């Protein structure tokens, strides 16, 4: 097993003893897994306990000289800087809903009308690199406000037959990793091609408008026949 990069193959327990890493590894075993078959299949493993490692300094003795330098001078390493970012979000929301109930002859109509207002303020800080040597820290602030209406209608045509309708505007934000303000542009001097990777704090939320219409027939106390028609119009992520 190779527990750390650029180290010779060895047993993890030896690393514990040689480098004073007591408690960093423990044995996990499952002797009952596929009993009687695949006799050569390992059923005991050494796993690392990351909760006991407080940064690379905790295990610096197992690194080679180059990796020790990178660990102790992490702010000088471009890859380390590009992997260091923060995303802070402040969310506010307000809700309102009105329930209603009416009778249309013998048919009962009920449901609710509502809306949700959501607001998000985002601060994303990271490092951006153009080429192999130039790195700059950048902070981007983004604010989003959206009103999300919704409605539900239930019509009891008879005690056994019911018609239901619902509609809403819904929202989901991109993942935190996608919102990181870190970007690296690499120029291949051999081929002249450019490529990059990173995130963008200006990615807009996913917004969709959805509707569904259902007819339900309860033909006895324990059974029902239902049919539903629905549609969902989902927007795309937009980069402003």
């Amino acid at each position: 097993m190779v527990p750390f990069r650029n180290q010779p193959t060895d047993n993890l327990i030896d690393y514990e003893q040689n480098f004073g890493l007591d408690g960093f590894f423990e044995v996990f075993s499952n002797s009952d897994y596929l009993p009687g078959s695949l006799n050569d299949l390992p059923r005991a493993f050494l796993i690392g306990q990351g909760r006991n490692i407080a940064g690379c300094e905790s295990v610096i003795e197992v690194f080679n000289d180059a990796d020790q330098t990178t660990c102790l001078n992490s702010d000088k390493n471009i890859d380390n800087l590009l992997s260091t970012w923060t995303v802070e979000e402040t969310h506010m929301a307000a809700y309102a809903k009105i329930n209603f109930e009416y009778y249309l002859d013998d048919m009962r109509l009920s449901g609710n009308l509502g809306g949700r207002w959501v607001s998000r303020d985002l601060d994303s800080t990271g490092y951006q690199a153009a080429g192999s040597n130039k790195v700059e820290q950048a902070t981007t602030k983004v604010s989003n406000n959206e009103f999300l209406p919704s409605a539900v209608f239930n019509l009891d045509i008879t005690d056994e037959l019911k018609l239901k309708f619902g509609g809403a505007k819904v929202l989901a934000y991109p993942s935190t990793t996608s919102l990181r303000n870190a970007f690296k542009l690499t120029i291949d001097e051999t081929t002249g091609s450019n490529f990059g990777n990173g995130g963008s704090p200006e990615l807009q939320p996913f917004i969709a408008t959805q509707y569904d219409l259902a007819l339900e027939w309860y033909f006895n106390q324990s059974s029902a026949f239902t049919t539903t028609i629905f549609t969902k119009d989902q927007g795309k992520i937009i980069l402003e």
Side-chain angles (χ1 to χ4, degrees), residues 100 108-112 152-156 163-165:
F100 62 85
R108 176 176 174 266
L109 176 65
S110 62
N112 62 72
V152 174
F153 297 90
N154 301 310
L155 180 63
D156 298 338
L163 183 67
K164 297 183 177 181
F165 170 80

Side-chain angles (χ1 to χ4, degrees), residues 39-57:
N39 294 329
D40 294 332
L41 181 69
R43 291 176 171 80
F45 306 90
L46 286 168
I47 60 176
Q49 295 300 315
R51 62 179 179 271
N52 295 327
I53 301 177
C56 63
E57 296 88 349

